[in-house]
Amino acid sequence: MAVLDQISWIVVGYAVLVALVAAYAAYRWRERPPWLDSMAWMLELLLAVRAAAGLGSVLSGERPDSYSTHVGYLLASVCIVPLALRSVQDDRGAWSLGVIAVAAVAVAAISLRILVTK
Amino acid sequence: MSQPRSGGHQVLLLLYALFTLAAGARSLVQLATKADEAPFAYMLSLLAALTYGLGWYAIRRAAEGDTGFASRMLWVELAGVLTVGTLSLAVPDWFPDATVWSDFGIGYGFVPVALPVAGLLWLRAQDPARGDEHGVVTAFRFVAFAEAVSWLGLLIGMFFKYVVDAGEGGVKVFGPIHGTVFLAYLVITLLAWRHLRWSLPVAVLALAASVPPFCTVLFEVWAKRTGRLESPARREAFTSSP
């Protein structure tokens, strides 16, 4: 479980970084830069790795304390970033940065909950 | 009216979708696995999920130009959060387990109580007949005052807890209330910063004023006196006149 915890902590740190970058760009009232989308997809990749590893360990017989909550968080964690990116896919206005920032904060919170419910 | 492509509703829609998911999944898991522990609390969480789903739909409609449903739905949501939040503090026996709206949404960083307020402010700004600065100024002055009042309540509670040693009832009630008003103050300060075009130092000062007791009122008085609560257009006319 230690490696999985480390991935979760990396996800938390990286998600906070994405949120801060997006919030700063929104503060400057800029258009959404393309590399921020790449950063968000990197975050999604990390989340997918964490979810796949977590589901793998659950399927191989590991029983977390709050089983259904833990699996729910693992599944929800991979849905949020694509949902947010899709909702702003043809809009690069400054408000779309707020959407990315909120999604990143939500993902960070879920990763913390994954750590607690394992 | 055509749908505005870009705007605050995009952030609101994502937040409502997230809270529909969070409250819905939470209440359904709780009802499925341990319904007999706190059925009333879990049903209230499910009701909160339904409210968020309807709120999401209402904001989508409002973004397309039809604000009628949202102007009712967001008030229903705010009333729900405030009612459940107050009940959970006043009658804790009714809540063996927490709901999404317990203690005004403390488990979700008080976002549940800030969300309908932000939605209503956004809705106000959608109305072209009303200058949106006016609503923000009124909301800012009200919340700055409420912040100081909740500080007073918290300080009285702390006096009774630590000095008189008469129990922590006051702190328990005023703690979450102060937290809620504090967060509402931060949200409305950020909106005022944008709408009233404050400079960054003024905005930082406004945010910092929320930390020490009663400083939000001092800031509000100072901002009023220096014309920083006027709309930007009027302020320019004011300063450029000889």
Side-chain angles (χ1 to χ4, degrees):
Chain A
M1 273 309 215
V3 181
L4 295 187
D5 284 1
Q6 280 175 4
I7 304 178
S8 280
W9 281 115
I10 293 170
V11 168
V12 172
Y14 186 63
V16 169
L17 177 72
V18 172
L20 286 177
V21 169
Y24 179 72
Y27 160 63
R28 303 292 300 270
W29 213 244
R30 296 283 161 80
E31 295 246 301
R32 188 168 94 251
W35 48 260
L36 190 71
D37 294 22
S38 312
M39 279 183 84
W41 282 118
M42 281 282 292
L43 178 62
E44 176 64 14
L45 186 71
L46 276 172
L47 287 163
V49 169
R50 176 65 183 87
L55 288 175
S57 93
V58 166
L59 285 176
S60 67
E62 191 89 38
R63 281 276 146 170
D65 292 340
S66 9
Y67 175 71
S68 38
T69 314
H70 183 70
V71 173
Y73 280 129
L74 285 176
L75 293 177
S77 68
V78 291
C79 301
I80 288 167
V81 173
L83 190 85
L85 282 170
R86 218 195 113 68
S87 75
V88 293
Q89 66 177 353
D90 41 31
D91 167 35
R92 307 211 72 84
W95 280 109
S96 72
L97 290 158
V99 173
I100 305 291
V102 167
V105 170
V107 159
I110 288 180
S111 292
L112 286 174
R113 294 292 300 161
I114 287 177
L115 278 163
V116 176
T117 57
K118 75 167 181 352
Chain B
M1 206 195 281
S2 68
Q3 181 175 1
R5 291 177 81 79
S6 201
H9 65 280
Q10 292 170 302
V11 180
L12 287 172
L13 283 173
L14 179 64
L15 281 165
Y16 272 90
L18 287 174
F19 270 90
T20 311
L21 183 78
R26 169 193 172 134
S27 57
L28 288 177
V29 165
Q30 286 173 331
L31 282 170
T33 57
K34 46 178 183 176
D36 45 334
E37 273 180 36
F40 177 57
Y42 302 151
M43 287 308 289
L44 279 179
S45 288
L46 191 63
L47 199 67
L50 186 72
T51 311
Y52 286 123
L54 288 172
W56 180 84
Y57 173 71
I59 288 171
R60 246 179 76 113
R61 285 267 300 267
E64 286 161 3
D66 181 4
T67 55
F69 182 48
S71 66
R72 282 187 292 274
M73 196 59 225
L74 292 171
W75 281 112
V76 169
E77 183 192 337
L78 184 60
V81 184
L82 295 179
T83 307
V84 175
T86 310
L87 278 179
S88 66
L89 291 169
V91 203
D93 293 352
W94 290 5
F95 301 90
D97 200 353
T99 79
V100 176
W101 289 342
S102 280
D103 301 359
F104 303 104
I106 198 169
Y108 293 88
F110 295 115
V111 176
V113 77
L115 205 50
V117 174
L120 285 166
L121 286 171
W122 169 78
L123 207 59
R124 252 185 123 99
Q126 295 309 103
D127 190 347
R130 204 194 308 260
D132 54 23
E133 292 92 0
H134 182 69
V136 171
V137 169
T138 311
F140 180 79
R141 301 189 67 184
F142 174 76
V143 173
F145 182 70
E147 221 267 350
V149 172
S150 72
W151 249 123
L152 183 66
L154 192 58
L155 288 174
I156 292 172
M158 283 159 80
F159 176 80
F160 277 101
K161 180 179 172 185
Y162 296 109
V163 181
V164 185
D165 205 16
E168 50 178 12
V171 176
K172 259 192 172 156
V173 170
F174 279 103
I177 290 178
H178 175 69
T180 303
V181 179
F182 171 78
L183 203 81
Y185 176 83
L186 295 188
V187 169
I188 289 171
T189 301
L190 292 175
L191 286 171
W193 176 16
R194 185 143 296 287
H195 283 291
L196 303 176
R197 306 217 192 110
W198 288 344
S199 62
L200 182 60
V202 172
V204 170
L205 193 65
L207 292 172
S210 63
V211 181
F214 312 123
C215 284
T216 50
V217 169
L218 290 182
F219 176 85
E220 190 263 334
V221 169
W222 172 78
K224 174 87 181 150
R225 199 173 290 164
T226 54
R228 287 187 165 84
L229 294 181
E230 301 282 334
S231 76
R234 279 183 60 188
R235 199 159 65 221
E236 272 155 36
F238 178 72
T239 47
S240 64
S241 63

